[in-house]
Amino acid sequence: MPQPTVSSRRDAVAVIDIGSNSGRVMVFQRDASSHLRLLAGSRAALRLVHDVDTRRQLTEGTMSRTLEALRDFQAIAASAGATRLVAVATAAMRDASNSALFTERIRR
């Protein structure tokens, strides 16, 4: 039986989860058998929910800390060969009164 070969690294996809308390990046690649192989991953404390619970909006400090983590995640994804990056966010992002402003900062 032939050995499955791994597809090229340019097929790697990075998934970023912006959670209520922490963020995570994971870079995956599908092999010839259609199994996902983890190429890289990392976590960072974000604590978005603390701001939303106490102020109903994200503070500048929290947004800065989160943007720094997202830059790190982007660098990890790029070094692992990811050509596509998908990000999802938790309810803390949706519930913050300034979530549209922060989302725009993230996109830039």
Side-chain angles (χ1 to χ4, degrees):
M1 176 175 222
Q3 290 288 346
T5 59
V6 176
S7 61
S8 73
R9 289 185 72 115
R10 64 179 186 268
D11 295 330
V13 175
V15 178
I16 294 177
D17 174 23
I18 304 169
S20 296
N21 283 305
S22 65
R24 172 180 281 195
V25 61
M26 298 184 78
V27 183
F28 296 99
Q29 179 181 59
R30 187 180 308 268
D31 67 20
S33 300
S34 291
H35 293 105
L36 293 178
R37 186 172 77 125
L38 180 63
L39 300 178
S42 184
R43 291 178 65 118
L46 302 178
R47 304 222 350 114
L48 302 179
V49 73
H50 175 71
D51 285 357
V52 175
D53 284 350
T54 59
R55 296 177 181 86
R56 294 286 178 222
Q57 66 179 6
L58 300 169
T59 64
E60 285 298 322
T62 297
M63 288 190 280
S64 292
R65 183 176 59 249
T66 302
L67 285 171
E68 184 177 331
L70 293 174
R71 279 188 214 91
D72 290 345
F73 291 169
Q74 188 175 28
I76 290 165
S79 69
T83 58
R84 183 169 174 225
L85 195 129
V86 178
V88 295
T90 187
M93 280 287 291
R94 293 188 302 274
D95 294 345
S97 63
N98 58 347
S99 64
L101 167 74
F102 188 44
T103 300
E104 183 57 33
R105 286 185 185 177
I106 292 169
R107 284 192 173 121
R108 282 185 286 166

